[in-house]
Amino acid sequence: MVSTINAIAELQQNAHSPVAFFNDMSKFVSGAGWRGFNDYIGARIYYNGLTEEIKDQVSNSPLIAAKVAALAENQLQREYWLRGSAREARKRQLILWLQDLADQQIDMMVCRMESTTTLRTLGFTMLEFIARAYHQGVHVDKLQIARLLETAKLASQKGISLVFLPSHKSHVDYIALYIICYRFGISMPVTVAGDNLNFAVAGKLLNNIGAMWIRRSFNNDELYATSVQAYIDTILTRGMNFDCFIEGGRSRTGKVLPPKYGILTFVLDSIFSGRVNDCYVIPVSCQYDKVIETESYISELLGKEKKKETLLDTLKNFDVMSLKLGRVDVRFHEAWSLRDYLTTKLHSRPEHSVSELSALDTTTRNWLIRSTGYKVLGDINAASMVMPSSIVATVLLTMRGRGIGYRELIRQVTLLVQRINNSAGKVADHTSPQQLLSSGVEVLGSMVGTERKGLLETTFYAADPFQLSFYRNMVIHLFISEAIVCIGIYTSVKRISSITYDELMQEVIFFSKLFSSEFIYPNNGIESNVKGTLMNMQAQNILKVNDNVIQLSEEEEIALRRENFDFYCFLIWPFVDGIWLAAVSLFALTPTIQEEATRKPSETLWIDREEFEKVSQSFGKTIYQQGEIQSYESVNKELLKSSYEKFISEGILLTRTSYVRIPRKLIALSPDWLPARNQHNAVKCEGKLWDFVGQISKGRREGKSRREIPDITSQVLGLSGEMALGFARELREVRTKRTKL
């Protein structure tokens, strides 16, 4: 068990006492003890004049001066007719205008950490919010906090920053990290935040405690990008702590998302260039028994437009203060020097002749940025705790049948905890499987159904599988190697009893490549990973390997009735179905016979990507209702979107941007992937796309019409044909309208 402390225990003890509430408030107002934030570790903040100091330092950055001069010169090149004094006057005018624009950008993004009064006010509000919403508290590991404080002291002595890189599942992530820094006396970090959260009143308050507002998209604005770089340089050279989310936006699916390299690239450029000597990177895992936003996430994943956050929406969320959402667990991976990591990584590749970070070519820099991003995600996964809600959700979503009795559920919870421990995972500290089950069922609420009336034993079932999948996905990283190996084995085992090692490697390589944007794999190479996974599963008596032939052990096949094997398959089957759906939807991009007759050989039939994704999701919902897909989560738009991105990277899909009226992303099937149609306008069952779908189908769970490969029924092909005709009609209408214009 992990030894933890509840960072907000003091406030929770007083949560239901009005007298204690006002007593706590008076302590925050007066700044008693740690609440005053007067004796903290790290760079000095919260003093009058800090904001102007930073703005002046950023504004006078050589980076901004050089960019302003370059942009002014570029404009003068366009105004080639200017000569002599007129050109010099115009140059001065451009430089003044660009510098003023840069100053405006800096003013919008710089945080104003000058008043501890604001910190105490918001600190009290945030602590009260968390204490009431998450009734079991915010838990941290005692040893990790002690280590974090030592790292903060060392960084302060060296004058370098702590760069916190947390996972991102909820807006509560911001609050949890701020509470921990505030409570344990660590200099508050500057936090990168999208300007969509900079709404009235609350935006200003958040800016006063460290929120750095940046645009969601830079739109190739070179000056703005330089202003951001100069500000990050300033933060790091001053040794101020820094915080950004490596995944970019919040994960709507529960699992860790692939890294977004935007802000990380700025941080690494500070190191590459030598403008900043070093910083300590601290990957952070934030895990929840229950995430406040899951219902809105499900709506978004099913196609509902994301709403821009407003103060009203935030106030509406205060009704969660009366709920029992369990606990938040925040875990800190051991800090590491960014410069040391980059240097060591560079020297691990002997083909790189350059040893200095400042002299790297673009390819090597990009490789190091990518490596750093995935190292951070790996460290986040390694530090993560598995919550009771995730354990209950995982058990309910990886079983055959409609429900499970209490005694069997306890057995499965115990078995899953053993699997987690065997995979080097960590379970949030609870004393028994019964306590884990009770806690998980309590916070999941209506997502877990129970049936008692007229039954011999209380039976549990997944009442809301889609929402439960969010919590199951918090566990999947621990078993992704086993899951992909089992899917590879399943492609043969469901037809014959065994598979050769070479055949398995082909299947594992295929599915690993398909899901490379979905999951974070161990970084020791695919063949080494497969061999290690096979050895572990053989040691657990799940598999039997003889003369490079792999099959299920007799105990697994007969005595356990594939209990372990099914568990790993059930984890990944929804993702297999999702990418299969995306692949099948591509048949709708096949030109009809009529379009082929009028299309020139050099022409490509382009479709609006956003519209295609919407119709594809409707197609998925339809075939789910008709039993062609097992899990509703397989039709979520994030999985479809990432699948199409994968198809683009593999050359299956082409993409371009249309600038007619408004910029729009367009997609089309690559010519060598286009299926042919017969005289009835139906897609022929042949070609690269047909074979590709068939390869994915081999990994799908057996069910309705899915015993043969490829498992594309005439009904599914017919619906994809209707999609194609719909797009064709729309495109003809668009062409007609444009002609009239």
Side-chain angles (χ1 to χ4, degrees):
M1 292 295 179
V2 179
S3 178
T4 66
I5 52 175
N6 181 2
I8 59 173
E10 184 179 344
L11 272 79
Q12 287 187 306
Q13 292 170 2
N14 303 326
H16 302 291
S17 168
V19 174
F21 173 84
F22 286 108
N23 183 45
D24 280 337
M25 182 185 292
S26 67
K27 290 179 181 178
F28 277 90
V29 171
S30 64
W34 57 267
R35 299 165 185 81
F37 205 66
N38 298 314
D39 185 21
Y40 54 87
I41 304 169
R44 296 297 93 186
I45 51 177
Y46 293 113
Y47 61 84
N48 290 332
L50 174 62
T51 304
E52 290 305 316
E53 280 182 24
I54 291 176
K55 285 165 64 174
D56 287 345
Q57 189 173 343
V58 178
S59 180
N60 294 319
S61 164
L63 280 180
I64 290 182
K67 180 57 66 176
V68 164
L71 291 174
E73 187 60 36
N74 288 344
Q75 182 60 31
L76 287 171
Q77 293 292 332
R78 298 186 188 95
E79 300 175 13
Y80 56 87
W81 57 87
L82 295 175
R83 294 286 187 274
S85 59
R87 191 178 193 278
E88 288 301 313
R90 176 60 172 157
K91 182 177 182 178
R92 288 193 296 271
Q93 182 187 41
L94 286 170
I95 288 174
L96 286 173
W97 178 77
L98 288 167
Q99 185 63 57
D100 183 62
L101 180 59
D103 289 342
Q104 292 176 40
Q105 294 171 348
I106 294 163
D107 185 66
M108 289 294 293
M109 75 177 73
V110 166
C111 55
R112 292 159 171 78
M113 294 193 291
E114 297 199 4
S115 170
T116 55
T117 301
T118 304
L119 174 66
R120 295 198 304 272
T121 302
L122 278 182
F124 175 72
T125 304
M126 290 188 294
L127 281 161
E128 283 292 326
F129 174 84
I130 290 290
R132 293 170 186 271
Y134 287 93
H135 67 294
Q136 294 176 12
V138 177
H139 289 251
V140 292
D141 182 277
K142 291 179 181 178
L143 295 178
Q144 289 180 6
I145 287 296
R147 187 176 65 198
L148 176 62
L149 291 171
E150 288 301 314
T151 302
K153 290 176 184 176
L154 181 60
S156 181
Q157 292 167 6
K158 292 183 175 182
I160 63 176
S161 304
L162 302 180
V163 176
F164 295 99
L165 298 176
S167 58
H168 199 17
K169 294 181 176 66
S170 169
H171 283 315
V172 176
D173 299 333
Y174 300 96
I175 300 173
L177 185 58
Y178 265 71
I179 284 173
I180 291 168
C181 289
Y182 184 24
R183 177 65 184 83
F184 293 101
I186 298 171
S187 186
M188 304 296 282
V190 174
T191 299
V192 178
D195 59 5
N196 59 309
L197 295 176
N198 187 13
F199 39 77
V201 183
K204 183 177 180 180
L205 290 173
L206 293 172
N207 181 248
N208 288 344
I209 64 167
M212 164 190 171
W213 303 121
I214 64 166
R215 300 175 189 167
R216 301 287 286 179
S217 173
F218 290 9
N219 292 322
N220 297 318
D221 187 333
E222 295 180 36
L223 183 60
Y224 187 78
T226 303
S227 296
V228 172
Q229 180 69 72
Y231 184 30
I232 291 175
D233 283 355
T234 300
I235 292 167
L236 299 181
T237 54
R238 294 176 71 99
M240 296 171 67
N241 294 338
F242 187 66
D243 167 30
C244 72
F245 294 104
I246 187 72
E247 300 163 272
R250 290 167 292 164
S251 171
R252 267 69 175 171
T253 60
K255 62 184 178 63
V256 172
L257 301 176
K260 296 293 190 296
Y261 299 109
I263 298 299
L264 184 64
T265 299
F266 288 119
V267 173
L268 265 67
D269 188 72
S270 299
I271 303 294
F272 287 145
S273 65
R275 296 189 301 271
V276 173
N277 180 49
D278 200 4
C279 61
Y280 285 138
V281 174
I282 305 178
V284 184
S285 169
C286 299
Q287 298 286 16
Y288 300 83
D289 265 329
K290 192 171 186 180
V291 171
I292 293 173
E293 302 100 322
T294 47
E295 288 188 16
S296 65
Y297 289 168
I298 300 305
S299 296
E300 289 179 33
L301 291 174
L302 289 175
K304 186 177 179 181
E305 290 296 323
K306 178 185 174 184
K307 289 176 61 179
K308 178 179 171 65
E309 286 88 350
T310 66
L311 180 58
L312 180 61
D313 293 327
T314 303
L315 293 174
K316 284 179 180 177
N317 272 338
F318 270 70
D319 61 0
V320 303
M321 292 175 70
S322 61
L323 299 178
K324 293 184 176 181
L325 301 177
R327 65 190 254 183
V328 183
D329 269 79
V330 182
R331 295 291 181 267
F332 297 89
H333 192 276
E334 187 173 358
W336 37 273
S337 158
L338 182 53
R339 177 169 290 277
D340 286 352
Y341 169 76
L342 294 172
T343 303
T344 302
K345 191 73 176 176
L346 182 63
H347 291 164
S348 70
R349 299 277 290 264
E351 65 269 25
H352 294 304
S353 58
V354 177
S355 60
E356 291 297 323
L357 295 177
S358 58
L360 299 178
D361 58 72
T362 301
T363 301
T364 305
R365 284 166 64 103
N366 289 341
W367 168 68
L368 285 172
I369 291 168
R370 178 179 172 82
S371 298
T372 304
Y374 277 95
K375 173 175 170 53
V376 170
L377 293 182
D379 287 351
I380 287 172
N381 278 338
S384 294
M385 300 297 295
V386 179
M387 310 300 287
S389 54
S390 293
I391 290 174
V392 173
T394 302
V395 169
L396 292 178
L397 294 180
T398 54
M399 66 178 188
R400 293 186 183 271
R402 287 190 294 271
I404 183 171
Y406 178 78
R407 284 170 294 183
E408 178 62 13
L409 185 53
I410 288 293
R411 188 183 77 84
Q412 290 294 337
V413 166
T414 304
L415 180 58
L416 179 53
V417 170
Q418 291 173 356
R419 290 189 183 115
I420 291 168
N421 291 332
N422 290 339
S423 298
K426 297 176 283 291
V427 178
D429 43 335
H430 287 73
T431 57
S432 67
Q434 289 80 4
Q435 187 183 14
L436 277 171
L437 176 59
S438 175
S439 178
V441 170
E442 178 189 16
V443 296
L444 290 172
S446 61
M447 286 181 261
V448 178
T450 57
E451 192 66 46
R452 299 182 181 87
K453 189 175 181 180
L455 303 182
L456 298 178
E457 181 184 26
T458 300
T459 299
F460 298 79
Y461 61 93
D464 190 344
F466 205 151
Q467 275 206 72
L468 287 175
S469 71
F470 181 92
Y471 299 96
R472 179 212 59 211
N473 287 344
M474 294 182 183
V475 178
I476 197 169
H477 66 277
L478 293 171
F479 308 113
I480 190 58
S481 297
E482 291 85 351
I484 290 183
V485 165
C486 285
I487 284 296
I489 294 171
Y490 183 76
T491 60
S492 288
V493 166
K494 70 177 179 179
R495 293 179 289 112
I496 57 177
S497 61
S498 63
I499 186 172
T500 68
Y501 178 79
D502 290 340
E503 290 170 338
L504 175 61
M505 279 301 300
Q506 289 179 6
E507 299 294 345
V508 169
I509 290 170
F510 175 76
F511 283 105
S512 295
K513 198 172 184 180
L514 272 186
F515 294 126
S516 60
S517 298
E518 292 294 328
F519 304 111
I520 311 302
Y521 302 132
N523 59 5
N524 50 352
I526 190 166
E527 186 164 4
S528 174
N529 186 37
V530 170
K531 287 180 177 178
T533 302
L534 289 175
M535 286 179 61
N536 289 337
M537 296 183 76
Q538 191 174 12
Q540 296 170 43
N541 204 20
I542 299 172
L543 299 179
K544 182 170 64 175
V545 182
N546 288 321
D547 297 326
N548 281 336
V549 175
I550 301 155
Q551 60 189 121
L552 299 182
S553 69
E554 290 184 12
E555 180 182 357
E556 180 68 20
E557 182 76 66
I558 299 171
L560 296 178
R561 294 187 294 179
R562 298 190 178 186
E563 179 178 68
N564 296 293
F565 182 75
D566 280 357
F567 167 77
Y568 295 123
C569 288
F570 269 104
L571 284 175
I572 202 169
W573 268 329
F575 296 92
V576 177
D577 265 0
I579 206 160
W580 174 86
L581 167 63
V584 170
S585 71
L586 300 185
F587 285 111
L589 297 177
T590 309
T592 62
I593 292 176
Q594 294 80 5
E595 286 170 331
E596 279 295 322
T598 59
R599 184 172 70 94
K600 296 178 182 178
S602 59
E603 287 183 332
T604 300
L605 183 68
W606 295 97
I607 301 291
D608 182 280
R609 176 171 174 174
E610 184 177 349
E611 183 62 25
F612 176 72
E613 289 178 358
K614 287 181 180 178
V615 177
S616 294
Q617 188 171 42
S618 296
F619 169 59
K621 291 176 181 178
T622 303
I623 63 175
Y624 165 77
Q625 294 295 342
Q626 295 174 1
E628 300 288 350
I629 289 177
Q630 291 280 331
S631 302
Y632 202 29
E633 64 174 289
S634 300
V635 307
N636 84 73
K637 73 175 185 180
E638 291 299 323
L639 182 51
L640 282 172
K641 187 178 294 185
S642 67
S643 298
Y644 294 135
E645 285 295 331
K646 172 56 66 176
F647 298 160
I648 290 169
S649 69
E650 294 297 319
I652 301 171
L653 284 175
L654 305 176
T655 183
R656 72 179 183 88
T657 302
S658 168
Y659 293 97
V660 177
R661 294 185 179 175
I662 58 172
R664 294 182 305 133
K665 296 289 185 183
L666 304 178
I667 58 170
L669 264 176
S670 182
D672 56 338
W673 283 80
L674 277 172
R677 291 186 181 272
N678 61 26
Q679 67 271 25
H680 303 295
N681 224 0
V683 172
K684 291 183 179 180
C685 302
E686 60 186 29
K688 292 178 71 173
L689 182 57
W690 181 265
D691 293 340
F692 178 66
V693 173
Q695 181 79 353
I696 299 172
S697 297
K698 290 164 63 178
R700 297 184 71 210
R701 181 186 174 191
E702 281 188 354
K704 176 185 176 183
S705 306
R706 286 201 294 280
R707 290 192 178 274
E708 300 299 326
I709 301 297
D711 61 346
I712 310 173
T713 64
S714 57
Q715 185 178 11
V716 170
L717 276 179
L719 286 169
S720 71
E722 289 184 24
M723 286 173 64
L725 291 173
F727 287 127
R729 284 194 294 273
E730 179 182 330
L731 285 178
R732 278 199 292 272
E733 289 170 6
V734 170
R735 287 169 184 158
T736 302
K737 290 175 183 176
R738 288 178 186 167
T739 302
K740 290 179 180 178
L741 288 172

